[in-house]
Structure formats: structure tokens, C-alpha cells
């Protein structure tokens, strides 16, 4: 940002407007400043600092700590833009209250006053505004499908179905429910459903929704079997809410009866192997519910089913796996030392946090590189029936999605190189050697 003129060399002493890296640089500075307090009682989004507390006494104490950090770093606040000790306030387009989170009323009114789009630009603006609040709307993807279809090249031809979707989406915005805030001391409930066109899911606790999610299927998935579409809905929803579900027990409800035997059925197709691998590392159980009782996010149309009061459940082996992992970590001296250091001095370990008796490094479960349990993890992610003896790259990618330890890449290479099944059954992937050329006989 320095520049030279005929009067001399000049540099900015504050961050100027217009730099492409200015937002990320400022957000990084805020994260570093409030690192010990983030997601404990402080949330920062650029220059919006939210301090939340269960009681007024705690709130005053938290404010004092935040102010002290700002004074130390020489940041200044404008008093006219500050609000203190509020029960309900607007934050990033949402209203936050003791009851939960709901859309800002002015944004809802803007949606209601939006005129019928006459071109793609106006339609994109409408879908952008409503899409910001899609987690509040049941079946957003299904409702908006006639409108999103108009965004294709040379496909903008307004018709009756688009008008119906436009008005239905406006009505749905006015009926958006208040979403509750997550409580990590309680188990999560994930309900999923899939039709021939789209999938939907809802994340709940104590029968109250936390977030809705829906997504239309691509042409390939529309041609797939019902089993694959339902399995895709589960894995997509788990990936969407990974930050809530990883390291916490949760229950999956589905209206597809064959999925209750998810881990006991034989893996017969590559698609099954790919989807099942995405669920490894989670502590979950699958419960079956009939379509009429499985009221999920997008309320997709279903074929009539025979009413049944039977509920079938299956506990997954992942629960035992995580319990064994916690027992192995509890006996590890390095883990206990690091765990206590993170709890006493979180600022000295910025990328670490403790959660549910585990250490998370950048939202991945941390393991001691010397503990023998690593071999159990490698066995689970490579040699189990679900893992399918994949190669180094795919096995490493699966592990890195949920676990971290130093030297993981080398351990995966050594483990696969010593796998007897891989050595016996896999073919050589190197290029075929050329013809042997005899050496000339010396004269």
C-alpha cells in the first residue's frame, strides 16, 4: 500500500478502503484478538462484535474483558452504534431473542413488496434475498424450483408455475418459524427425506427445529434409485451440519425402511461404498419412521404408505468406536497434558479446543502420534467392509476429514504397503515396462 510521489515516500497508517485483502485481514485481526473468547461469549463478524451471557452479572464481566482487549490493541468503538444489555437485537439480518432466531421484519417486508421480476437480474435479486433465509423455510428448494429453472441460458419465460412459486415463496417468508439455538448437552435429531426431484432435512432438538435444508437433485440423481437418493439425502445433511454433529451423538430418522440395516447389508456397489464412507467417524443411530410420521424440512410428496405403528431402530458400531477412542485417549499422558493446557490457557493453543471429552484441532479429532489406537483407526478407514481397501489418496482424504495427528500421511502409506489383501488382490498401476534389450557381446 506504499506509494511514492515527488514529495517523498508515503505509507498508510490505517487500513484504506478498496483493497481486496482488507476484509480478510481485518477479520483475521479480530479473530486473533478475541481468540480466547470466541464461541464462549463472543462472536465477531468484521466490525460487528456480539457479546452474549446467561445473566447480567456475567454479561458485565464479559464486557469488561472485551473492552480490555480492545484497549490493549488500540481499537476504538463509536458509542452511538453500540447497544448494551439487550434481550432482543438485530444481528446480521436476524433477530436474536431468548426464544430463538427469526428473520428481521424489515427484510420480510422487502420480500413482500418485491415486484414480479421482468428479467434474470431482478429474479436473481429476489432469489438472493429469499435464499439468505432459506434455513427458515420448509422445502425452499422445491418451492423455488420453477424460479431457479428460469436462470438457465435463454430459459427466462415467465409462466403460471413461476407466478405460483413467486407468491408461495412470499407467503412462506411470512410464516417462517422461530429457530431455536443449539444446546450441545442434548442429542441432535436429524430428519431427512427425498423425492424424485429434491431432498430435504431438518435439524432438531427437543422437537424444535434448529435449521432447515433442502436441495434439488441433479439429473443423474433423479435417475437413481430411491435407496441412493435417500442415502444421498442423509450424507448431504450430515455434511451440511458437520459442525454440530461431529463428536456428538445424534439420531437420523428416515422413511426408507431398508436404510435401517445400513451397516449390516453387504456393500455391493461403488455408490454404496462412497456414501457409507462419508458417515465414518460420526456417533449416530438410524431410526425408521413411516412417511406419514416423518414430517421433514421440505414436505416432499410421497407415495401412500400403509400406516404402521412399528418403529425399528439400529445402533451403529461407531458409538463403540468412539467410546474405545475416549478410553484410549484417557490413558494417554500426552493427551491429558495437552487437554489441561487447552482448558487453562486456550490463547496459547489457538487452533485447538476441547469438546465432549475430545481435543479438536481445526475441527478434527486430535490423536497422539505415538498411541497404538492409530492402527485401529487405520484399520477402520482402510480395511473394514465399508472402507473397501481404498488407495493412499482416498484413505488419507477420509481420515483428514475427521482426524488429525502428526505423520498421518506416512502412517497411511506404511499401513497400506503392509496390507496383505491389497498386495494380493490389486494390480500394478505403473506403466508397462518396455521390451528388454540384450547387451551386445563384448569383443
Amino acid at each position: 500500500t506504499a506509494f511514492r510521489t515527488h514529495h517523498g515516500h508515503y505509507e498508510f497508517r490505517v487500513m484504506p478502503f478498496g483493497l481486496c485483502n482488507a476484509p480478510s485481514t481485518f477479520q483475521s485481526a479480530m479473530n486473533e484478538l478475541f481468540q480466547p473468547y470466541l464461541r464462549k461469549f463472543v462472536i465477531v463478524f468484521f466490525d460487528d462484535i456480539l457479546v452474549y451471557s446467561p445473566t447480567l452479572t456475567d454479561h458485565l464481566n464479559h464486557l469488561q474483558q472485551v473492552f480490555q482487549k480492545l484497549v490493549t490493541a488500540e481499537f476504538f468503538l463509536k458509542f452511538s452504534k453500540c447497544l448494551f444489555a439487550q434481550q432482543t437485537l438485530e444481528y446480521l439480518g436476524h433477530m436474536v431473542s431468548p426464544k430463538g432466531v427469526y428473520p428481521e421484519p424489515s427484510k420480510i417486508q422487502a420480500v413482500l413488496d418485491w415486484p414480479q421480476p421482468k428479467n434474470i437480474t431482478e429474479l436473481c435479486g429476489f432469489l438472493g434475498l429469499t435464499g439468505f433465509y432459506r434455513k427458515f423455510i420448509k422445502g425452499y428448494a422445491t418451492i423455488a424450483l420453477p424460479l431457479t429453472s428460469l436462470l438457465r441460458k435463454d430459459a427466462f419465460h415467465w409462466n403460471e408455475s413461476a407466478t405460483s412459486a413467486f407468491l408461495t415463496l412470499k407467503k412462506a417468508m411470512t410464516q417462517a418459524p422461530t429457530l431455536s439455538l443449539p444446546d450441545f448437552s442434548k442429542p441432535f435429531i436429524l430428519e431427512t427425506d427425498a423425492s424424485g426431484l429434491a431432498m430435504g432435512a431438518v435439524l432438531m432438538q427437543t422437537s424444535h427445529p434448529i435449521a432447515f435444508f433442502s436441495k434439488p437433485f441433479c439429473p443423474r440423481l433423479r435417475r437413481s434409485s430411491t435407496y441412493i437418493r435417500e442415502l444421498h439425502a442423509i450424507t448431504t445433511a450430515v455434511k451440511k451440519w458437520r459442525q454440530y454433529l461431529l463428536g456428538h451423538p445424534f439420531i437420523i430418522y428416515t422413511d426408507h425402511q431398508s436404510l435401517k440395516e445400513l451397516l449390516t447389508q453387504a456393500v455391493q456397489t461403488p455408490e454404496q461404498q462412497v456414501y457409507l464412507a462419508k458417515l465414518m467417524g460420526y456417533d449416530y443411530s438410524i431410526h425408521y419412521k413411516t412417511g406419514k410420521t416423518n414430517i421433514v424440512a421440505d414436505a416432499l410428496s410421497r407415495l401412500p404408505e400403509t400406516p404402521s405403528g412399528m418403529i425399528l431402530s439400529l445402533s451403529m458400531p461407531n458409538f463403540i468406536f468412539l467410546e474405545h477412542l475416549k478410553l484410549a485417549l484417557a490413558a494417554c499422558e500426552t493427551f491429558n497434558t495437552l487437554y489441561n493446557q487447552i482448558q487453562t490457557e486456550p490463547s496459547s493453543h489457538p487452533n485447538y479446543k476441547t469438546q465432549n471429552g475430545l481435543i479438536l484441532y481445526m475441527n478434527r479429532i486430535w490423536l497422539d502420534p505415538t498411541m497404538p489406537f492409530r492402527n485401529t483407526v487405520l484399520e477402520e478407514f482402510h480395511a473394514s467392509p465399508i472402507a473397501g481397501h481404498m488407495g493412499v489418496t482416498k484413505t488419507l482424504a477420509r481420515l483428514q476429514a475427521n482426524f488429525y495427528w502428526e505423520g498421518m500421511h506416512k502412517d497411511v502409506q506404511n499401513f497400506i504397503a503392509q496390507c496383505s489383501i491389497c498386495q494380493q488382490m490389486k494390480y500394478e498401476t505403473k506403466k508397462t515396462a518396455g521390451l528388454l534389450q540384450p547387451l551386445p557381446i563384448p569383443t
Side-chain angles (χ1 to χ4, degrees), residues 111-165:
V111 172
L112 296 177
D113 297 338
W114 199 282
Q116 180 176 306
K118 298 179 181 180
N119 50 55
I120 291 183
T121 303
E122 294 180 2
L123 179 59
C124 287
F126 176 76
L127 291 177
L129 180 57
T130 56
F132 183 72
Y133 297 105
R134 66 183 300 160
K135 68 178 181 180
F136 293 90
I137 303 175
K138 290 184 178 181
Y140 177 88
T142 306
I143 298 173
L145 187 59
L147 297 178
T148 54
S149 300
L150 301 179
L151 299 177
R152 299 172 183 171
K153 185 177 181 180
D154 300 328
F156 187 84
H157 302 288
W158 198 266
N159 48 36
E160 292 184 1
S161 61
T163 303
S164 176

Side-chain angles (χ1 to χ4, degrees), residues 13-14 26 30 33-34 46-49 66-82 84:
R13 300 182 62 184
V14 296
F26 185 80
M30 291 290 99
L33 178 63
F34 294 107
F46 294 120
D47 58 345
D48 290 328
I49 304 174
V66 170
F67 290 155
Q68 185 61 43
K69 281 286 186 182
L70 292 171
V71 170
T72 304
E74 298 184 356
F75 282 98
F76 299 92
L77 301 177
K78 191 173 183 179
F79 181 76
S80 60
K81 294 185 177 181
C82 297
F84 301 98

Side-chain angles (χ1 to χ4, degrees), residues 93-336:
H94 298 80
M95 299 301 297
V96 183
S97 68
K99 296 181 180 179
V101 183
Y102 55 92
E104 186 184 351
S106 63
K107 300 296 189 299
I108 302 299
Q109 188 61 42
V111 172
L112 296 177
D113 297 338
W114 199 282
Q116 180 176 306
K118 298 179 181 180
N119 50 55
I120 291 183
T121 303
E122 294 180 2
L123 179 59
C124 287
F126 176 76
L127 291 177
L129 180 57
T130 56
F132 183 72
Y133 297 105
R134 66 183 300 160
K135 68 178 181 180
F136 293 90
I137 303 175
K138 290 184 178 181
Y140 177 88
T142 306
I143 298 173
L145 187 59
L147 297 178
T148 54
S149 300
L150 301 179
L151 299 177
R152 299 172 183 171
K153 185 177 181 180
D154 300 328
F156 187 84
H157 302 288
W158 198 266
N159 48 36
E160 292 184 1
S161 61
T163 303
S164 176
F166 181 71
L167 298 177
T168 304
L169 205 52
K170 282 188 173 184
K171 183 179 179 181
M173 288 293 296
T174 62
Q175 300 174 350
T178 300
L179 301 180
S180 63
L181 299 174
D183 183 359
F184 290 96
S185 63
K186 301 178 181 178
F188 290 95
I189 296 176
L190 177 64
E191 291 191 0
T192 64
D193 185 38
S195 71
L197 298 175
M199 58 144 291
V202 56
L203 184 66
M204 298 190 299
Q205 275 185 331
T206 62
S207 301
H208 200 287
I210 296 175
F212 294 100
F213 175 64
S214 59
K215 183 179 180 181
F217 286 137
C218 63
R220 181 182 63 82
L221 283 173
R222 292 180 185 179
R223 296 190 298 266
S224 300
S225 64
T226 304
Y227 177 87
I228 293 298
R229 290 199 300 269
E230 294 282 355
L231 191 55
H232 177 82
I234 291 177
T235 56
T236 304
V238 170
K239 181 180 179 181
K240 173 70 176 179
W241 293 311
R242 179 179 180 273
Q243 66 274 21
Y244 296 111
L245 303 178
L246 183 62
H248 298 276
F250 62 98
I251 302 172
I252 300 174
Y253 283 100
T254 177
D255 63 349
H256 197 70
Q257 192 167 6
S258 63
L259 288 177
K260 63 184 175 64
E261 305 288 349
L262 187 60
L263 289 185
T264 60
Q265 5 179 284
V267 181
Q268 298 178 346
T269 64
E271 283 185 315
Q272 283 181 294
Q273 191 177 81
V274 170
Y275 285 119
L276 292 175
K278 294 180 180 180
L279 297 176
M280 296 179 66
Y282 291 94
D283 179 6
Y284 66 95
S285 61
I286 293 184
H287 290 203
Y288 167 72
K289 295 176 66 176
T290 59
K292 292 184 179 180
T293 58
N294 189 21
I295 305 175
V296 295
D298 53 0
L300 297 170
S301 59
R302 306 181 183 91
L303 294 175
E305 297 187 26
T306 304
S308 174
M310 179 177 61
I311 298 179
L312 302 175
S313 64
L314 174 68
S315 296
M316 296 302 174
N318 292 24
F319 179 78
I320 301 176
F321 173 79
L322 286 179
E323 288 300 319
H324 290 173
L325 173 61
K326 291 180 180 179
L327 291 175
L329 290 173
C332 179
E333 183 178 353
T334 306
F335 170 82
N336 294 326

Side-chain angles (χ1 to χ4, degrees), residues 1 12 14-31 45-47 75:
T1 58
F12 283 100
V14 296
M15 183 174 294
F17 286 97
L19 298 181
C20 63
N21 292 330
S24 59
T25 302
F26 185 80
Q27 181 67 49
S28 177
M30 291 290 99
N31 291 341
F45 184 76
F46 294 120
D47 58 345
F75 282 98

